[in-house]
Coordinates of all heavy atoms in Angstrom, one line a residue:
C1 N 0.9 -7.9 13.1 CA 2.1 -7.7 12.4 C 2.3 -6.1 12.3 O 1.4 -5.5 11.8 CB 2.1 -8.3 11.1 SG 3.6 -7.9 10.1
S2 N 3.4 -5.6 12.8 CA 3.6 -4.2 12.7 C 4.1 -3.8 11.3 O 5.0 -4.5 10.7 CB 4.6 -3.8 13.7 OG 5.0 -2.5 13.6
L3 N 3.6 -2.8 10.8 CA 4.0 -2.3 9.5 C 5.2 -1.4 9.5 O 5.9 -1.1 8.5 CB 2.9 -1.6 8.7 CG 1.7 -2.5 8.3 CD1 0.7 -1.6 7.6 CD2 2.2 -3.6 7.4
L4 N 5.5 -0.8 10.7 CA 6.6 0.1 10.8 C 7.9 -0.6 11.3 O 7.8 -1.3 12.3 CB 6.2 1.3 11.8 CG 5.0 2.0 11.3 CD1 4.6 3.1 12.4 CD2 5.2 2.7 10.0
P5 N 9.0 -0.3 10.7 CA 10.2 -1.0 11.0 C 10.7 -0.7 12.4 O 10.6 0.5 12.8 CB 11.2 -0.6 10.0 CG 10.7 0.7 9.4 CD 9.2 0.6 9.6
D6 N 11.2 -1.6 13.2 CA 11.7 -1.4 14.5 C 13.2 -2.0 14.6 O 13.6 -2.3 15.7 CB 10.8 -1.9 15.6 CG 10.7 -3.5 15.5 OD1 11.2 -4.1 14.6 OD2 10.1 -4.0 16.4
N7 N 13.8 -2.1 13.5 CA 15.1 -2.7 13.4 C 16.3 -1.7 13.4 O 17.4 -2.0 13.2 CB 15.3 -3.6 12.2 CG 15.0 -2.9 10.9 OD1 14.9 -1.7 10.9 ND2 15.0 -3.6 9.8
G8 N 16.0 -0.5 13.8 CA 17.0 0.6 13.9 C 17.3 1.2 12.5 O 18.1 2.2 12.5
E9 N 16.8 0.7 11.4 CA 17.1 1.3 10.1 C 16.3 2.6 10.0 O 15.2 2.7 10.5 CB 16.7 0.4 9.0 CG 17.5 -0.9 8.9 CD 17.1 -1.8 7.8 OE1 16.3 -1.3 6.9 OE2 17.5 -2.9 7.8
E10 N 16.9 3.6 9.3 CA 16.1 4.8 9.0 C 15.1 4.5 8.0 O 15.4 3.8 6.9 CB 17.1 5.9 8.5 CG 16.3 7.2 8.3 CD 17.2 8.4 8.1 OE1 18.3 8.4 8.7 OE2 16.8 9.2 7.3
S11 N 13.9 4.9 8.2 CA 12.8 4.7 7.3 C 12.9 5.6 6.1 O 13.1 6.8 6.2 CB 11.5 4.9 8.0 OG 10.4 4.8 7.1
P12 N 12.6 5.1 4.9 CA 12.5 5.9 3.7 C 11.2 6.7 3.7 O 11.0 7.5 2.8 CB 12.5 4.9 2.5 CG 11.9 3.7 3.1 CD 12.4 3.6 4.6
L13 N 10.4 6.6 4.7 CA 9.1 7.2 4.8 C 9.1 8.5 5.6 O 8.1 9.1 5.8 CB 8.1 6.2 5.4 CG 8.1 4.8 4.8 CD1 7.3 3.9 5.6 CD2 7.7 4.9 3.4
R14 N 10.3 9.0 6.0 CA 10.4 10.2 6.9 C 9.6 11.3 6.2 O 9.8 11.6 5.0 CB 11.8 10.5 7.1 CG 12.0 11.7 8.0 CD 13.5 12.0 8.2 NE 14.1 10.9 8.8 CZ 14.4 10.8 10.1 NH1 14.0 11.7 10.9 NH2 15.0 9.7 10.5
G15 N 8.7 12.0 6.9 CA 8.0 13.1 6.4 C 6.7 12.7 5.7 O 6.0 13.6 5.3
A16 N 6.4 11.5 5.5 CA 5.3 11.0 4.8 C 4.0 11.0 5.7 O 4.2 11.0 6.9 CB 5.5 9.6 4.2
T17 N 2.9 11.1 5.1 CA 1.6 11.0 5.9 C 1.4 9.6 6.3 O 1.9 8.7 5.7 CB 0.4 11.5 5.1 OG1 0.2 10.6 4.0 CG2 0.6 12.9 4.6
M18 N 0.5 9.4 7.3 CA 0.2 8.0 7.7 C -0.4 7.2 6.6 O 0.0 6.0 6.4 CB -0.7 8.0 8.9 CG -1.0 6.6 9.5 SD 0.5 5.7 9.9 CE 1.0 6.5 11.4
K19 N -1.2 7.8 5.8 CA -1.8 7.0 4.6 C -0.7 6.5 3.7 O -0.7 5.4 3.3 CB -2.7 8.0 3.9 CG -3.5 7.3 2.8 CD -4.3 8.3 2.0 CE -5.5 8.7 2.9 NZ -6.4 9.6 2.2
Q20 N 0.3 7.3 3.4 CA 1.4 6.9 2.6 C 2.3 5.9 3.3 O 2.8 5.0 2.7 CB 2.3 8.1 2.2 CG 1.6 9.1 1.3 CD 2.3 10.5 1.3 OE1 2.3 11.2 2.3 NE2 2.9 10.8 0.2
V21 N 2.5 6.1 4.6 CA 3.3 5.2 5.3 C 2.8 3.7 5.3 O 3.6 2.8 5.1 CB 3.5 5.7 6.8 CG1 4.1 4.6 7.6 CG2 4.3 6.9 6.8
L22 N 1.5 3.6 5.5 CA 1.0 2.2 5.6 C 1.2 1.4 4.4 O 1.6 0.2 4.5 CB -0.5 2.3 6.0 CG -0.8 2.9 7.3 CD1 -2.3 3.1 7.5 CD2 -0.2 2.0 8.4
L23 N 0.9 1.9 3.2 CA 1.0 1.1 2.0 C 2.5 0.8 1.7 O 2.9 -0.3 1.4 CB 0.3 1.7 0.8 CG 0.3 0.9 -0.5 CD1 -0.3 -0.5 -0.3 CD2 -0.4 1.7 -1.6
S24 N 3.3 1.9 1.8 CA 4.7 1.7 1.6 C 5.4 0.8 2.6 O 6.2 -0.1 2.2 CB 5.4 3.1 1.6 OG 6.8 3.0 1.4
A25 N 5.0 0.9 3.8 CA 5.6 0.0 4.9 C 5.2 -1.4 4.6 O 6.0 -2.4 4.8 CB 5.1 0.5 6.3
A26 N 3.9 -1.6 4.2 CA 3.5 -3.0 3.9 C 4.3 -3.6 2.8 O 4.7 -4.7 2.8 CB 2.0 -3.0 3.5
R27 N 4.5 -2.8 1.7 CA 5.3 -3.2 0.6 C 6.7 -3.6 1.0 O 7.3 -4.6 0.6 CB 5.3 -2.2 -0.5 CG 6.1 -2.6 -1.7 CD 5.9 -1.6 -2.9 NE 6.4 -0.2 -2.6 CZ 7.6 0.1 -2.7 NH1 8.6 -0.7 -3.0 NH2 8.0 1.4 -2.4
H28 N 7.3 -2.7 1.8 CA 8.7 -3.0 2.2 C 8.8 -4.2 3.2 O 9.7 -5.0 3.1 CB 9.3 -1.7 2.9 CG 9.7 -0.7 2.0 ND1 8.8 0.3 1.5 CD2 10.9 -0.5 1.3 CE1 9.5 1.1 0.7 NE2 10.7 0.6 0.5
T29 N 7.7 -4.3 4.0 CA 7.7 -5.5 5.0 C 7.7 -6.8 4.2 O 8.3 -7.7 4.6 CB 6.4 -5.4 5.9 OG1 6.6 -4.2 6.7 CG2 6.3 -6.6 6.7
K30 N 7.0 -6.8 3.1 CA 6.9 -8.0 2.3 C 8.0 -8.1 1.2 O 8.0 -9.0 0.4 CB 5.5 -8.1 1.5 CG 4.3 -8.1 2.5 CD 4.4 -9.4 3.3 CE 3.1 -9.4 4.2 NZ 3.0 -10.7 4.9
R31 N 8.9 -7.1 1.3 CA 10.1 -7.1 0.4 C 9.6 -7.1 -1.1 O 10.1 -7.9 -1.9 CB 11.1 -8.2 0.7 CG 11.6 -8.1 2.1 CD 12.7 -9.1 2.3 NE 13.0 -9.2 3.7 CZ 13.9 -8.4 4.4 NH1 14.4 -7.4 3.7 NH2 14.2 -8.6 5.6
R32 N 8.7 -6.3 -1.4 CA 8.2 -6.2 -2.8 C 8.5 -4.8 -3.4 O 8.6 -3.8 -2.7 CB 6.7 -6.4 -2.8 CG 6.2 -7.7 -2.3 CD 6.7 -8.8 -3.2 NE 6.1 -10.1 -2.8 CZ 6.2 -11.2 -3.5 NH1 6.8 -11.2 -4.6 NH2 5.7 -12.3 -3.0
T33 N 8.7 -4.8 -4.7 CA 8.9 -3.5 -5.4 C 7.6 -2.9 -5.8 O 6.6 -3.7 -5.9 CB 9.8 -3.7 -6.6 OG1 9.1 -4.5 -7.6 CG2 11.2 -4.3 -6.2
A34 N 7.6 -1.7 -6.1 CA 6.3 -1.1 -6.7 C 5.9 -1.8 -8.0 O 4.8 -2.0 -8.2 CB 6.6 0.4 -6.9
Q35 N 6.9 -2.1 -8.8 CA 6.6 -2.8 -10.0 C 6.0 -4.2 -9.7 O 5.0 -4.5 -10.4 CB 7.9 -3.0 -10.8 CG 7.7 -3.7 -12.2 CD 9.0 -3.8 -13.0 OE1 10.1 -3.8 -12.4 NE2 8.8 -4.0 -14.3
E36 N 6.5 -4.9 -8.8 CA 5.9 -6.2 -8.4 C 4.5 -6.0 -7.9 O 3.6 -6.8 -8.3 CB 6.7 -6.9 -7.3 CG 8.0 -7.4 -7.8 CD 8.9 -7.9 -6.7 OE1 8.9 -7.4 -5.6 OE2 9.6 -8.9 -6.9
C37 N 4.2 -5.0 -7.1 CA 2.9 -4.8 -6.6 C 1.9 -4.5 -7.8 O 0.8 -5.0 -7.8 CB 2.9 -3.6 -5.6 SG 3.6 -4.1 -4.0
G38 N 2.4 -3.6 -8.7 CA 1.6 -3.3 -9.8 C 1.3 -4.5 -10.7 O 0.1 -4.7 -11.1
M39 N 2.3 -5.2 -11.0 CA 2.1 -6.4 -11.9 C 1.2 -7.4 -11.3 O 0.3 -8.0 -12.0 CB 3.5 -7.0 -12.3 CG 4.3 -6.1 -13.2 SD 5.9 -6.8 -13.6 CE 5.4 -8.4 -14.4
A40 N 1.4 -7.7 -10.0 CA 0.6 -8.7 -9.4 C -0.9 -8.4 -9.2 O -1.7 -9.2 -9.1 CB 1.2 -9.1 -8.0
T41 N -1.1 -7.1 -9.2 CA -2.5 -6.6 -8.9 C -3.2 -6.0 -10.1 O -4.3 -5.6 -10.0 CB -2.5 -5.6 -7.8 OG1 -1.7 -4.5 -8.1 CG2 -2.0 -6.2 -6.5
G42 N -2.5 -6.0 -11.2 CA -3.1 -5.4 -12.5 C -3.1 -3.9 -12.5 O -3.9 -3.3 -13.2
I43 N -2.3 -3.2 -11.6 CA -2.2 -1.8 -11.5 C -0.9 -1.4 -12.2 O 0.1 -2.0 -11.9 CB -2.3 -1.3 -10.1 CG1 -3.6 -1.8 -9.4 CG2 -2.1 0.2 -10.0 CD1 -3.6 -1.6 -7.9
S44 N -0.9 -0.4 -13.1 CA 0.3 0.0 -13.7 C 1.3 0.5 -12.6 O 0.9 1.0 -11.5 CB 0.1 1.2 -14.7 OG -0.2 2.4 -14.0
E45 N 2.6 0.4 -12.9 CA 3.6 0.9 -11.9 C 3.4 2.4 -11.6 O 3.5 2.8 -10.4 CB 5.0 0.6 -12.4 CG 6.0 1.0 -11.4 CD 7.4 0.7 -11.9 OE1 7.6 0.2 -13.1 OE2 8.4 0.9 -11.2
G46 N 3.1 3.2 -12.6 CA 2.9 4.6 -12.4 C 1.7 4.9 -11.5 O 1.7 5.7 -10.5
R47 N 0.6 4.2 -11.7 CA -0.6 4.4 -10.9 C -0.4 3.9 -9.5 O -0.7 4.5 -8.5 CB -1.8 3.6 -11.5 CG -3.1 3.8 -10.6 CD -4.4 3.6 -11.3 NE -5.5 3.6 -10.4 CZ -6.1 4.7 -9.9 NH1 -5.6 5.9 -10.2 NH2 -7.1 4.6 -9.1
Y48 N 0.3 2.7 -9.3 CA 0.6 2.2 -8.0 C 1.5 3.3 -7.2 O 1.2 3.6 -6.1 CB 1.4 0.9 -8.1 CG 1.9 0.5 -6.7 CD1 1.0 -0.2 -5.8 CD2 3.1 0.9 -6.2 CE1 1.3 -0.4 -4.5 CE2 3.4 0.6 -4.9 CZ 2.6 0.0 -4.0 OH 2.9 -0.3 -2.7
F49 N 2.5 3.9 -7.9 CA 3.3 4.9 -7.3 C 2.4 6.1 -6.8 O 2.6 6.6 -5.7 CB 4.4 5.3 -8.2 CG 5.3 6.3 -7.6 CD1 6.3 5.9 -6.6 CD2 5.3 7.6 -7.9 CE1 7.1 6.8 -6.0 CE2 6.1 8.6 -7.3 CZ 7.0 8.2 -6.4
R50 N 1.5 6.5 -7.7 CA 0.6 7.6 -7.3 C -0.3 7.3 -6.1 O -0.5 8.1 -5.3 CB -0.2 8.1 -8.5 CG 0.6 8.8 -9.6 CD -0.2 9.4 -10.7 NE -1.0 8.5 -11.4 CZ -0.6 7.7 -12.4 NH1 0.7 7.8 -12.8 NH2 -1.4 6.9 -13.0
I51 N -0.7 6.0 -6.1 CA -1.5 5.6 -4.9 C -0.7 5.6 -3.6 O -1.0 6.1 -2.6 CB -2.1 4.2 -5.1 CG1 -3.2 4.2 -6.2 CG2 -2.7 3.6 -3.8 CD1 -3.6 2.8 -6.7
E52 N 0.5 5.0 -3.7 CA 1.4 4.9 -2.6 C 1.8 6.3 -2.1 O 2.0 6.5 -0.9 CB 2.6 4.1 -2.9 CG 3.5 3.8 -1.7 CD 4.7 2.9 -2.0 OE1 4.4 1.7 -2.1 OE2 5.8 3.4 -2.1
T53 N 2.0 7.2 -3.0 CA 2.5 8.6 -2.6 C 1.3 9.5 -2.2 O 1.5 10.7 -1.9 CB 3.4 9.2 -3.6 OG1 2.7 9.3 -4.9 CG2 4.6 8.4 -3.8
G54 N 0.1 9.0 -2.3 CA -1.1 9.8 -2.0 C -1.6 10.8 -3.0 O -2.4 11.6 -2.8
R55 N -1.0 10.7 -4.2 CA -1.5 11.6 -5.3 C -2.8 11.2 -5.9 O -3.4 12.0 -6.5 CB -0.4 11.6 -6.4 CG 0.9 12.2 -5.9 CD 1.9 12.3 -7.1 NE 3.2 12.6 -6.5 CZ 4.3 12.4 -7.2 NH1 4.3 11.8 -8.4 NH2 5.4 12.7 -6.6
T56 N -3.2 9.9 -5.7 CA -4.5 9.5 -6.2 C -5.0 8.4 -5.2 O -4.3 7.8 -4.5 CB -4.4 8.9 -7.6 OG1 -5.7 8.7 -8.2 CG2 -3.7 7.6 -7.7
Q57 N -6.3 8.3 -5.2 CA -7.0 7.3 -4.4 C -7.3 6.0 -5.1 O -7.7 6.1 -6.3 CB -8.3 7.9 -3.9 CG -8.2 9.1 -3.0 CD -7.4 8.7 -1.7 OE1 -7.7 7.7 -1.0 NE2 -6.4 9.5 -1.4
P58 N -7.0 4.9 -4.5 CA -7.3 3.6 -5.2 C -8.8 3.4 -5.2 O -9.5 3.8 -4.3 CB -6.6 2.6 -4.4 CG -6.6 3.2 -3.0 CD -6.4 4.7 -3.2
T59 N -9.3 2.6 -6.2 CA -10.7 2.2 -6.2 C -10.8 1.1 -5.1 O -9.8 0.5 -4.6 CB -11.0 1.6 -7.6 OG1 -10.3 0.4 -7.8 CG2 -10.8 2.6 -8.7
A60 N -12.1 0.8 -4.8 CA -12.3 -0.3 -3.9 C -11.7 -1.6 -4.3 O -11.1 -2.3 -3.6 CB -13.8 -0.4 -3.6
E61 N -11.8 -1.8 -5.6 CA -11.3 -3.1 -6.2 C -9.8 -3.1 -6.1 O -9.2 -4.1 -5.7 CB -11.7 -3.2 -7.7 CG -11.2 -4.5 -8.3 CD -11.6 -4.6 -9.8 OE1 -12.6 -4.0 -10.2 OE2 -10.9 -5.3 -10.5
E62 N -9.1 -2.0 -6.4 CA -7.7 -1.9 -6.2 C -7.2 -2.1 -4.8 O -6.2 -2.8 -4.5 CB -7.1 -0.6 -6.8 CG -7.2 -0.4 -8.3 CD -7.0 1.0 -8.8 OE1 -7.2 1.9 -8.0 OE2 -6.5 1.1 -9.9
M63 N -8.0 -1.5 -3.9 CA -7.6 -1.7 -2.4 C -7.7 -3.2 -2.1 O -6.8 -3.7 -1.4 CB -8.6 -1.0 -1.5 CG -8.4 0.5 -1.5 SD -9.4 1.3 -0.2 CE -10.8 1.8 -1.2
G64 N -8.7 -3.9 -2.5 CA -8.8 -5.3 -2.3 C -7.7 -6.1 -2.8 O -7.1 -7.0 -2.2
R65 N -7.3 -5.8 -4.1 CA -6.2 -6.6 -4.7 C -4.9 -6.3 -4.0 O -4.1 -7.2 -3.8 CB -6.1 -6.2 -6.2 CG -7.3 -6.7 -7.0 CD -7.2 -6.6 -8.5 NE -6.7 -5.4 -9.0 CZ -7.3 -4.5 -9.8 NH1 -8.4 -4.9 -10.3 NH2 -6.7 -3.4 -10.2
L66 N -4.6 -5.0 -3.7 CA -3.4 -4.7 -3.0 C -3.3 -5.4 -1.6 O -2.3 -5.9 -1.2 CB -3.2 -3.2 -2.8 CG -2.9 -2.4 -4.1 CD1 -3.1 -0.9 -3.9 CD2 -1.5 -2.7 -4.5
A67 N -4.4 -5.3 -0.9 CA -4.5 -6.0 0.5 C -4.2 -7.5 0.3 O -3.5 -8.0 1.1 CB -5.8 -5.7 1.1
D68 N -4.9 -8.1 -0.6 CA -4.7 -9.6 -0.8 C -3.2 -9.9 -1.1 O -2.6 -10.8 -0.6 CB -5.6 -10.1 -1.9 CG -7.0 -10.2 -1.5 OD1 -7.3 -10.1 -0.3 OD2 -7.9 -10.3 -2.5
F69 N -2.6 -9.1 -2.1 CA -1.3 -9.4 -2.5 C -0.3 -9.2 -1.4 O 0.7 -9.9 -1.2 CB -0.9 -8.5 -3.7 CG 0.5 -8.7 -4.1 CD1 0.9 -9.8 -4.7 CD2 1.5 -7.6 -4.0 CE1 2.3 -10.0 -5.1 CE2 2.8 -7.8 -4.4 CZ 3.2 -9.0 -4.9
L70 N -0.5 -8.1 -0.6 CA 0.5 -7.8 0.5 C 0.2 -8.5 1.8 O 1.0 -8.5 2.7 CB 0.5 -6.3 0.7 CG 1.1 -5.5 -0.4 CD1 0.9 -4.0 -0.2 CD2 2.6 -5.8 -0.6
G71 N -1.0 -9.2 1.9 CA -1.3 -10.0 3.0 C -1.8 -9.2 4.3 O -1.6 -9.6 5.4
F72 N -2.5 -8.1 4.0 CA -3.0 -7.3 5.1 C -4.5 -7.0 4.8 O -4.9 -7.1 3.6 CB -2.3 -5.9 5.2 CG -0.9 -6.1 5.7 CD1 0.2 -6.1 4.8 CD2 -0.6 -6.2 7.0 CE1 1.5 -6.3 5.2 CE2 0.7 -6.3 7.5 CZ 1.8 -6.4 6.5
S73 N -5.2 -6.6 5.8 CA -6.7 -6.3 5.5 C -6.7 -4.9 4.8 O -5.8 -4.1 5.0 CB -7.4 -6.2 6.8 OG -7.1 -5.1 7.6
V74 N -7.8 -4.7 4.1 CA -8.1 -3.4 3.5 C -8.1 -2.3 4.6 O -7.5 -1.2 4.4 CB -9.4 -3.4 2.7 CG1 -9.7 -2.0 2.2 CG2 -9.3 -4.3 1.5
A75 N -8.7 -2.6 5.7 CA -8.8 -1.6 6.8 C -7.4 -1.2 7.4 O -7.2 -0.1 7.8 CB -9.7 -2.1 7.9
T76 N -6.5 -2.2 7.4 CA -5.1 -1.9 7.9 C -4.4 -1.0 6.9 O -3.7 0.0 7.3 CB -4.4 -3.2 8.0 OG1 -5.0 -4.0 9.1 CG2 -2.9 -3.0 8.5
L77 N -4.5 -1.3 5.6 CA -3.8 -0.5 4.6 C -4.4 0.8 4.3 O -3.7 1.8 3.9 CB -3.6 -1.3 3.3 CG -2.7 -2.5 3.4 CD1 -2.6 -3.2 2.0 CD2 -1.3 -2.2 3.9
F78 N -5.7 0.9 4.4 CA -6.4 2.1 4.0 C -7.5 2.5 5.1 O -8.7 2.5 4.8 CB -7.2 1.9 2.6 CG -6.2 1.4 1.5 CD1 -6.1 0.1 1.2 CD2 -5.5 2.4 0.8 CE1 -5.3 -0.3 0.2 CE2 -4.6 1.9 -0.2 CZ -4.5 0.6 -0.5
P79 N -7.0 2.8 6.3 CA -7.9 3.0 7.4 C -8.8 4.2 7.3 O -9.9 4.2 7.8 CB -7.0 3.2 8.6 CG -5.7 3.7 8.0 CD -5.6 3.0 6.7
D80 N -8.5 5.2 6.5 CA -9.3 6.4 6.3 C -10.2 6.3 5.2 O -11.0 7.2 5.0 CB -8.4 7.6 6.1 CG -7.5 7.9 7.4 OD1 -7.9 7.5 8.5 OD2 -6.5 8.5 7.2
S81 N -10.2 5.3 4.4 CA -11.0 5.2 3.2 C -12.5 4.9 3.6 O -12.8 4.1 4.5 CB -10.5 4.0 2.3 OG -11.4 4.0 1.2
T82 N -13.3 5.6 2.9 CA -14.8 5.4 3.2 C -15.3 4.3 2.3 O -16.4 3.8 2.5 CB -15.6 6.7 2.9 OG1 -15.3 7.1 1.6 CG2 -15.2 7.8 3.9
Q83 N -14.6 3.9 1.2 CA -15.0 2.8 0.4 C -14.3 1.6 0.7 O -13.1 1.6 1.1 CB -14.8 3.2 -1.1 CG -13.4 3.5 -1.5 CD -13.3 3.8 -3.0 OE1 -14.2 3.6 -3.8 NE2 -12.2 4.4 -3.4
R84 N -15.0 0.5 0.6 CA -14.4 -0.8 0.8 C -14.9 -1.8 -0.2 O -16.1 -1.7 -0.7 CB -14.8 -1.4 2.2 CG -14.3 -0.6 3.4 CD -13.0 -1.1 3.8 NE -12.6 -0.6 5.1 CZ -11.8 0.5 5.3 NH1 -11.4 1.2 4.2 NH2 -11.5 0.9 6.5
P85 N -14.1 -2.8 -0.6 CA -14.6 -3.8 -1.5 C -15.8 -4.5 -0.8 O -15.8 -4.7 0.4 CB -13.4 -4.8 -1.7 CG -12.2 -4.0 -1.3 CD -12.7 -3.0 -0.3
E86 N -16.8 -4.9 -1.6 CA -18.0 -5.6 -1.0 C -17.6 -6.8 -0.2 O -16.7 -7.6 -0.6 CB -18.9 -6.0 -2.1 CG -19.7 -4.8 -2.7 CD -21.0 -5.2 -3.3 OE1 -21.5 -6.2 -2.9 OE2 -21.4 -4.5 -4.3
G87 N -18.1 -6.9 1.0 CA -17.9 -8.0 1.9 C -16.6 -8.0 2.5 O -16.1 -9.1 3.0
R88 N -15.8 -6.9 2.5 CA -14.5 -6.8 3.1 C -14.5 -5.8 4.2 O -15.0 -4.7 4.1 CB -13.5 -6.4 2.1 CG -13.5 -7.3 0.8 CD -12.5 -8.3 0.7 NE -11.2 -8.1 1.2 CZ -10.1 -8.2 0.4 NH1 -10.2 -8.4 -0.9 NH2 -8.9 -8.0 1.0
P89 N -13.7 -6.1 5.3 CA -13.6 -5.1 6.4 C -12.6 -4.0 5.9 O -11.8 -4.2 5.1 CB -13.0 -5.9 7.5 CG -12.5 -7.2 6.9 CD -13.2 -7.4 5.6

């Protein structure tokens, strides 16, 4: 499943880094708001926004919860991360 839109729409991600693009694209692909992602994963909306915009790094546990909620692997959403939830790719 591609995370980047190919439907001709202009992406709201223009100028963002790849790390920012992946989480935001996953959220948009699943048609979820930042608030929904935060509520479903136990992450405050503000912290979720800081993670998505690259201002802060998620913990391994947060990565796992976000990946589960959005339906992607941790490695897909956070390919540059050196930490992974235990037993997860």
Side-chain angles (χ1 to χ4, degrees):
C1 177
S2 174
L3 290 178
L4 301 178
D6 62 357
N7 58 4
E9 292 179 15
E10 183 167 327
S11 173
L13 309 172
R14 183 179 300 265
T17 66
M18 183 55 73
K19 186 182 291 186
Q20 293 165 292
V21 167
L22 294 173
L23 185 55
S24 181
R27 180 172 62 80
H28 283 89
T29 296
K30 299 298 183 171
R31 300 184 190 279
R32 299 295 185 170
T33 66
Q35 183 178 22
E36 289 172 324
C37 286
M39 288 178 62
T41 59
I43 300 169
S44 73
E45 185 179 359
R47 178 157 173 80
Y48 174 83
F49 183 74
R50 288 189 301 278
I51 292 168
E52 186 174 286
T53 58
R55 293 183 193 160
T56 192
Q57 295 297 312
T59 65
E61 183 179 335
E62 289 169 333
M63 283 189 268
R65 292 191 315 239
L66 287 166
D68 287 345
F69 177 68
L70 293 170
F72 293 94
S73 71
V74 171
T76 297
L77 293 181
F78 305 99
D80 296 334
S81 179
T82 57
Q83 59 178 344
R84 296 269 192 267
E86 284 202 30
R88 308 260 321 238

